[in-house]
Amino acid sequence: MPAPLMLVDAPSLYFRAYFGIPESAAVGPDGQPVNAVRGFLDMLASLVRTRRPGRMVCAMDHDWRPQWRVALLPSYKAHRVAPEGGEVVPDTLGPQVPVMLDVLDALGVTTVGATGYEADDVLGTLSVTQPGPVEVVSGDRDLFQLVDDARRVRLLYVGRGVAKLADCDDAAVQARYGVPAARYADFAALRGDPSDGLPGVPGVGEKTAARLVDRYGDIAGVLAALDDPAAGFAPGLRAKLSAAREYLAVAPTVVRVALDVPLPALPTDLPAAPADPDRLLDLAERWNLAGAVRRLVDALAHRAD
């Protein structure tokens, strides 16, 4: 069996790291906060120690709000657009991302993004193009749709933190939401997700969304059933779904993770030793990250013990 491939939703983790560690607890010699970098590296170290992957890729957001999704649903992430354009990002977080990328490069950990696509789409494409087993690491619920027992793709959901991650196969998704992973996108479109600007169908919550998916298979099936007087909808629910027809026609495409992102050939092997130890040492000293870097280097060196 190939060594497990760990696909890391880097923005999901470094945002969590930023808000989980006070800025005052991690600063460089010049006073610049590096709390997100330190927290991110410690998350990776914990994941490497506990999951022992042999391969790893960290996916980045090269386009956090792709125009093709906005064209279908203008509300998509609209509440997160800064007045001057771009994503609302804390002033002290943005400068930390290049530092994190430099450290990962010196370690020899592959990072990749794609123009016109979110990190989720990169993760989705890698999950279907790389040999399994695959473990996707994210706090984004949308990625439950990538779980695939046949391909040995699992989601390590870190919504409550890396120390309390939920290791999810299809049965876990079914137990959590009442739908199989392959139908999670339809379920999420019906339910909505305020964090992504997805309105959902007003008056349709998780339980109703799950029942609709269970009965009709997907949103296309729901829409087809609306035109059948014998479909058995309660009058109130039929009215709610009918009023949301325009939204339901586009929402599945917006919610579904792209599985065909054009990506270059990528090295995925996770090194046992840093690719550029001298540069890594320099970065660790320059940014006051010696402890976090050492913990990750040790985890990489001893994961096969």
Side-chain angles (χ1 to χ4, degrees), residues 43-285:
M43 288 179 182
L44 287 191
S46 177
L47 288 163
V48 169
R49 282 195 309 270
T50 57
R51 307 302 302 191
R52 298 176 181 266
R55 299 168 291 153
M56 179 180 287
V57 176
C58 291
M60 301 297 295
D61 272 334
H62 280 197
D63 191 342
W64 69 280
R65 189 175 181 248
Q67 182 55 39
W68 58 272
R69 285 192 166 106
V70 176
L72 291 169
L73 189 67
S75 67
Y76 184 66
K77 295 186 178 180
H79 61 295
R80 290 159 55 182
V81 177
E84 67 280 7
E87 185 179 14
V88 175
V89 177
D91 291 342
T92 51
L93 172 57
Q96 296 189 53
V97 176
V99 177
M100 180 192 75
L101 292 174
D102 283 345
V103 173
L104 291 175
D105 185 60
L107 282 163
V109 175
T110 295
T111 61
V112 64
T115 301
Y117 294 96
E118 302 176 51
D120 289 7
D121 302 312
V122 174
L123 295 166
T125 298
L126 291 171
S127 77
V128 300
T129 57
Q130 295 293 319
V134 173
E135 296 184 333
V136 181
V137 183
S138 180
D140 186 344
R141 294 186 297 176
D142 285 342
L143 295 182
F144 279 113
Q145 65 186 278
L146 298 184
V147 171
D148 185 336
D149 289 356
R151 288 189 49 80
R152 295 175 296 159
V153 179
R154 308 174 75 89
L155 176 67
L156 305 184
Y157 181 63
V158 296
R160 299 175 60 210
V162 168
K164 298 179 180 179
L165 66 81
D167 181 355
C168 298
D169 60 4
D170 194 74
V173 179
Q174 183 85 42
R176 184 184 285 254
Y177 294 110
V179 298
R183 292 287 176 248
Y184 182 85
D186 296 276
F187 162 82
L190 287 162
R191 177 203 61 198
D193 189 343
S195 67
D196 280 341
L198 295 171
V201 178
V204 172
E206 286 199 354
K207 291 183 179 179
T208 301
R211 285 197 300 269
L212 288 167
V213 170
D214 181 61
R215 181 165 185 177
Y216 300 106
D218 55 18
I219 286 179
V222 172
L223 291 173
L226 282 176
D227 297 324
D228 180 1
F233 288 106
L237 180 57
R238 183 187 290 274
K240 292 171 183 175
L241 293 168
S242 295
R245 256 184 202 278
E246 187 175 340
Y247 163 75
L248 291 174
V250 300
T253 304
V254 174
V255 177
R256 286 191 190 110
V257 171
L259 304 178
D260 56 355
V261 176
L263 296 173
L266 298 170
T268 62
D269 286 346
L270 194 55
D276 191 338
D278 291 338
R279 182 179 173 217
L280 184 62
L281 179 62
D282 177 68
L283 288 166
E285 292 179 349

